[in-house]
Amino acid sequence: MASDQRSSEIAEQSKSSLGDAFGGAWIDQASGRLTVGVTKSGLSVTGADTQVVTNSLTQLNGTKSVLDLMSAPAAITSWRVDEKSNSVVVEVNKNVRDAAADKWIATAKSVSGAVQVAEVTESPTPLYDLRGGEAIYMGGGRCSLGFSVSGGYVTAGHCGTTGTAVSGSNRVAQGTFAGSVFPGNDYAWVRTNANWTPRPWVNRSGSNVVVKGSTQAAVGSQICRSGSTTGWRCGTVQAFNQTVNYPQGQVRGLTRTNACAEGGDSGGSWVAGSGFGQAQGVTSGGSGNCSSGGTTYFQPVNPILSRYGLTLTRG
């Protein structure tokens, strides 16, 4: 690491001192030696090897800037300046390469002879974080994410049946309900796709509460919840193992609180303990609202983890 740091410093110094003659710099992974590309023979750099190259880094960056202005078809996955090969590398997904991609590549090559093409087998997609309290969507319905677990997250069972498709707060496809129980209990878990990364976080008015475990808080403890409708709300634990008679049927084993909640908060996170780091459960239902106050029940999280053999994501 110290050697890499020194090489980085030499590369920056070379970029400044060589000006337009600077053709990039790179560290050889085998030897650890730094090589500096130069566009004129006879130039040397203290502490590094030199290699004469055709294009300056300024020229390469200029070529890439031109490509940045060109709208690319889906098969073109990326383009970058590659200092080691002294080129601008365009990557294309060979599995979906088509005439539009070939036309784009031809245009790119006409910009500069420095453009090279590399075939890849996959196309990149955005990656998203799973965070407690964020909105989740099932068709026209909305609930809230409870807690991240290995492979997805837990939420309320009444939010969706097994097989229901889910999208995230940005309406990007997220996964499907892999298991769901309601009534009787009110819990479910969603298996997410590879674009989503489980994080040990609960949204607290824009900041993150880090989940450390799932130790149950005692009656009378302060407890807070996060939901996509009313955000972060707090109260106290009033009772355990309450049976609630919803119109859809009885749900047993719920915890009663005097924290408020409203529609769309269902499935959201409940936390307690030091720094609110202990996961407690997911919002089930209740009465009242966050204007006049109310009673809200949550499904404890540990029975959900046990039922489906899930591991809570912890920080």
Side-chain angles (χ1 to χ4, degrees), residues 3-315:
S3 174
D4 287 353
Q5 176 64 32
R6 178 59 182 151
S7 292
S8 297
E9 293 170 355
I10 294 172
E12 283 301 307
Q13 293 167 2
S14 300
K15 182 177 181 180
S16 176
S17 63
L18 292 172
D20 288 340
F22 180 71
W26 59 94
I27 298 172
D28 181 82
Q29 295 301 301
S31 66
R33 288 282 297 174
L34 174 71
T35 298
V36 175
V38 294
T39 59
K40 299 176 183 178
S41 61
L43 296 175
S44 63
V45 175
T46 302
D49 299 328
T50 57
Q51 178 177 311
V52 177
V53 296
T54 302
N55 305 291
S56 70
L57 185 61
T58 298
Q59 290 172 319
L60 295 175
N61 285 331
T63 297
K64 181 184 176 294
S65 295
V66 174
L67 301 191
D68 287 343
L69 299 176
M70 297 165 49
S71 179
I76 303 296
T77 64
S78 69
W79 50 96
R80 70 182 187 277
V81 170
D82 186 72
E83 297 182 30
K84 187 174 183 179
S85 66
N86 195 237
S87 65
V88 177
V89 178
V90 173
E91 291 188 344
V92 57
N93 188 331
K94 67 179 183 180
N95 295 318
V96 293
R97 186 169 181 171
D98 54 12
D102 289 338
K103 182 178 179 180
W104 193 93
I105 289 170
T107 302
K109 286 185 173 181
S110 71
V111 172
S112 170
V115 173
Q116 295 183 5
V117 177
E119 290 190 325
V120 295
T121 58
E122 294 181 312
S123 297
T125 57
L127 302 177
Y128 305 93
D129 291 324
L130 297 174
R131 181 169 71 155
E134 300 285 358
I136 59 174
Y137 296 89
M138 297 68 54
R142 173 172 59 85
C143 277
S144 299
L145 192 155
F147 296 98
S148 295
V149 297
S150 52
Y153 60 86
V154 297
T155 187
H158 73 265
C159 291
T161 58
T162 301
T164 298
V166 190
S167 58
S169 57
N170 43 20
R171 299 289 185 161
V172 172
Q174 199 172 64
T176 58
F177 278 70
S180 179
V181 177
F182 179 78
N185 296 108
D186 192 4
Y187 51 57
W189 86 281
V190 173
R191 182 183 290 113
T192 53
N193 60 47
N195 296 337
W196 295 82
T197 302
R199 300 294 189 188
W201 302 332
V202 171
N203 182 10
R204 181 182 183 180
S205 304
S207 63
N208 290 327
V209 168
V210 179
V211 176
K212 301 290 187 180
S214 58
T215 300
Q216 186 181 64
V219 170
S221 297
Q222 183 184 26
I223 193 165
C224 295
R225 48 151 290 271
S226 181
S228 61
T229 299
T230 59
W232 181 264
R233 304 285 175 156
C234 298
T236 57
V237 176
Q238 295 182 317
F240 298 132
N241 197 29
Q242 183 155 342
T243 298
V244 176
N245 191 29
Y246 291 126
Q248 296 89 343
Q250 294 181 0
V251 175
R252 298 173 291 277
L254 300 181
T255 299
R256 177 189 176 100
T257 77
N258 59 3
C260 71
E262 296 181 6
D265 288 328
S266 288
S269 326
W270 289 79
V271 290
S274 176
F276 298 106
Q278 298 299 313
Q280 299 298 301
V282 299
T283 301
S284 175
S287 57
N289 55 52
C290 287
S291 296
S292 60
T295 298
T296 307
Y297 306 98
F298 67 81
Q299 168 72 61
V301 68
N302 286 329
I304 312 175
L305 302 176
S306 177
R307 169 67 183 266
Y308 296 114
L310 303 171
T311 302
L312 187 68
T313 301
R314 307 182 185 197

